[in-house]
Amino acid sequence: MNYQPSEKSQLSLWDSWVYITDNDVIHLFFLAGKAGCGWGYAGHAVSHDWVHWEELPPVKLSGEKGAWDEGPVGTGMVFRHDDGRYYMTYTGKLEGTQQCHGLFVSDDLMEWQKISVDGPVWPRSQQPPYEQDENRATLQAWRDAFVTRNPEGQWEAFCAGRVDFGPHAGRGCIARCRLESIDTWIDLPPVADVGLYAAMEVPEVFEFAGRCWAIFSTTSGWGTRVGTPERPIAAGTFFLSADHWQGPYRAIPDNLLIGAGFNKMSAYVARVVEYQGQHLVYHHYAGNGGPPAFGLPKVLNADGDKLYLTAWEGIDALRRGQLDLTGWQALSNGPQAPGEWNVGGQVIHGNCEVGAAILRAETEAVDVDIEVELTIRSGARAGLVTGLPATPNAKGIACLLDAQAGEITIGEAYTWINASGPNLSQIIDSVRRPVEHNRTYTVRLIHRHRYVELFVDGRLVFSTVTESVPQGGGIGCAVEDAAAAFNIRQAYRLEPMKVE
């Protein structure tokens, strides 16, 4: 919902990595492919505010035919070493059992030169405790190198690896090494191995809020079902915590930082960067029917051994004026509309004992940022609807709090002309979470192009991709088998996403 490569660039976007200069210029790099060529490039764009981007020429990562790194390559990152120069890691030999890491160098983040011409700087370790070829049950992992300083100021690197013990579906680990120099990388035992994941992709290790953290991305498609109490079958970026840099790192039951249920590849790989006194999390959307895109940054927060995300105030730069929400009308396929509605200024009361009802205000904007205080007085569920035209057989997005099922959902709102009311049952994603009657929740919904984010009481719940672009403007309050009150706190039109 933030940036997509232009059609002119012919690039597709995947995992991203960011480097921020001393004067706060944001350099976005991303694993990129061209039609018929696979992942062989690092796309490049720059910004001064995270929401407006200038596209720059890509960096060709893959080697020429016959080189050790010919063919598709994998994710990397950028760091500035002691010599003042910038270095970019990347994964070579992505398809196969001998994944390994190469390196580029630059003096200005614009022109890059490969220094690992003759071979990788960090070859895959085949010595215990890392998995050896004769003991593996799948392709090996040694990818996505992340380079940083440890608390003592020494340079270390981490990557997605696998250990040589335990059940095969739980052998994913975060491998570790020490950089004695820019071309001498010494293997160390893994920093994190919790026996729960088949793959721990794009790892990062960092200090934050008085603890040490490791984040990584994985899905329920690697051979083991990954789940949390809120999402039984999950995919996305997860976190571990430790008291010390060396570990041991532990996984709490609800350790999904950002992602989706039903093993959907929505917001998949997320990473952390310090920016103007805050730790921001940035990520990409992996598709789910829509083209991959770079997402809006969020603020990282910690509560004990739990990480969570909140909205970043910098996205206010996308606002293009307040919406005038007047002329509310109940959607209906006949002379009578289902449910009962009472509009008193900014407060709306709705009641529909059986079935669903939507009260809708027409807006010209399809890209919106709306926040309401929602109180379910009785019954099942209520929430917000966006991008829904007033025409029959139209589709929009519905985000609902469900007191009956104890969950929060995001899905489609559909107005079938033969139905007695709108259909709110087409679920895209859900989170198991208690929802109480007569408790007021602050609900913020950001809908931009086909990308949607929902925050409840300030915390991120969903960051996802819809299959279709909004068909028209329109913001609605929805109740289903419930009575609820809506206090509209703010509603803004957003600058449309630049999609070329």
Side-chain angles (χ1 to χ4, degrees):
M1 65 174 357
N2 192 355
Y3 165 76
Q4 286 179 352
S6 68
E7 185 175 337
K8 180 181 178 181
S9 75
Q10 300 182 341
L11 297 176
S12 60
L13 179 149
W14 203 245
D15 300 344
S16 56
W17 54 99
V18 161
Y19 186 88
I20 301 176
T21 65
D22 293 339
N23 57 346
D24 285 342
V25 177
I26 304 154
H27 286 258
L28 167 66
F29 299 91
F30 54 91
L31 185 61
K34 293 187 176 182
C37 298
W39 292 328
Y41 297 84
H44 190 189
V46 295
S47 174
H48 295 274
D49 63 1
W50 285 96
V51 296
H52 300 97
W53 297 91
E54 176 189 352
E55 206 161 71
L56 297 174
V59 183
K60 188 176 187 299
L61 301 180
S62 58
E64 302 301 326
K65 186 173 179 60
W68 71 271
D69 56 356
E70 70 171 310
V73 299
T75 302
M77 57 86 66
V78 171
F79 64 100
R80 192 176 190 180
H81 203 256
D82 299 334
D83 59 6
R85 307 181 82 190
Y86 304 97
Y87 293 85
M88 183 190 298
T89 66
Y90 69 100
T91 305
K93 299 185 179 181
L94 185 66
E95 297 179 345
T97 63
Q98 302 302 320
Q99 294 176 354
C100 48
H101 304 285
L103 205 60
F104 280 75
V105 65
S106 174
D107 292 316
D108 57 6
L109 295 167
M110 306 295 284
E111 300 292 331
W112 293 88
Q113 179 182 356
K114 184 179 293 187
I115 59 177
S116 55
V117 175
D118 298 325
V121 294
W122 190 15
R124 175 196 152 204
S125 173
Q126 297 192 53
Q127 299 299 316
Y130 295 110
E131 194 171 61
Q132 301 166 68
D133 277 342
E134 61 269 22
N135 293 332
R136 61 183 176 84
T138 182
L139 294 178
Q140 191 41 262
W142 201 262
R143 59 184 179 271
D144 312 330
F146 170 73
V147 180
T148 188
R149 291 185 187 271
N150 65 23
E152 287 73 44
Q154 301 164 328
W155 288 100
E156 294 188 0
F158 304 91
C159 77
R162 287 175 60 83
V163 293
D164 202 36
F165 52 84
H168 286 282
R171 289 188 176 186
C173 74
I174 300 178
R176 180 186 182 195
C177 80
R178 181 179 67 253
L179 275 67
E180 292 192 348
S181 66
I182 204 64
D183 54 3
T184 305
W185 301 38
I186 307 300
D187 291 329
L188 298 173
V191 72
D193 159 40
V194 293
L196 299 174
Y197 308 101
M200 300 174 74
E201 296 192 289
V202 198
E204 294 191 356
V205 179
F206 57 94
E207 292 183 295
F208 175 65
R211 299 179 67 83
C212 296
W213 305 88
I215 61 172
F216 60 94
S217 298
T218 195
T219 82
S220 295
W222 288 106
T224 181
R225 182 175 297 196
V226 179
T228 71
E230 292 193 338
R231 286 183 171 100
I233 306 174
T237 297
F238 296 76
F239 62 86
L240 313 172
S241 67
D243 298 324
H244 308 284
W245 185 264
Q246 293 82 5
Y249 284 82
R250 301 173 293 274
I252 64 172
D254 187 16
N255 69 328
L256 180 65
L257 179 63
I258 186 172
F262 308 115
N263 200 36
K264 289 189 175 182
M265 298 281 284
S266 292
Y268 184 53
V269 169
R271 312 187 80 159
V272 178
V273 66
E274 292 186 46
Y275 180 73
Q276 296 183 351
Q278 292 180 304
H279 282 68
L280 297 187
V281 169
Y282 62 92
H283 64 92
H284 80 289
Y285 296 99
N288 276 353
F294 186 62
L296 293 171
K298 289 90 175 157
V299 179
L300 184 67
N301 303 267
D303 183 5
D305 57 0
K306 168 77 173 175
L307 293 177
Y308 64 95
L309 302 178
T310 56
W312 177 55
E313 63 182 12
I315 65 174
D316 292 354
L318 292 173
R319 291 176 175 174
R320 292 298 176 265
Q322 291 189 342
L323 293 171
D324 181 21
L325 300 183
T326 57
W328 292 92
Q329 292 186 342
L331 292 182
S332 173
N333 288 329
Q336 299 293 322
E340 299 175 351
W341 295 96
N342 184 356
V343 180
Q346 296 297 104
V347 180
I348 298 171
H349 296 271
N351 181 28
C352 192
E353 293 183 3
V354 178
I358 294 175
L359 186 70
R360 179 184 177 278
E362 179 67 34
T363 68
E364 295 181 357
V366 296
D367 301 295
V368 298
D369 180 357
I370 181 169
E371 183 176 282
V372 304
E373 291 178 337
L374 170 62
T375 307
I376 302 176
R377 300 300 187 192
S378 62
R381 61 197 68 87
L384 291 174
V385 173
T386 61
L388 180 66
T391 55
N393 300 325
K395 288 184 179 181
I397 292 297
C399 293
L400 304 175
L401 276 62
D402 193 328
Q404 182 181 78
E407 65 181 9
I408 303 173
T409 64
I410 181 171
E412 288 185 344
Y414 178 52
T415 55
W416 182 38
I417 194 171
N418 294 320
S420 58
N423 185 334
L424 304 177
S425 61
Q426 301 300 310
I427 304 301
I428 297 172
D429 197 6
S430 66
V431 167
R432 295 173 178 173
R433 189 172 297 178
V435 177
E436 301 174 8
H437 287 140
N438 296 311
R439 175 182 168 184
T440 299
Y441 297 88
T442 300
V443 179
R444 182 179 180 185
L445 178 59
I446 301 172
H447 192 173
R448 193 174 188 223
H449 198 56
R450 66 176 77 233
Y451 307 96
V452 183
E453 293 190 331
L454 180 73
F455 298 84
V456 176
D457 289 341
R459 297 193 181 194
L460 180 71
V461 180
F462 300 117
S463 185
T464 193
V465 188
T466 65
E467 290 189 1
S468 59
V469 178
Q471 299 173 356
I475 290 175
C477 302
V479 291
E480 185 174 26
D481 303 338
F486 305 79
N487 180 14
I488 300 174
R489 299 183 58 180
Q490 61 181 31
Y492 293 92
R493 63 170 50 87
L494 297 178
E495 176 183 316
M497 183 171 168
K498 187 176 181 180
V499 180
E500 298 179 357

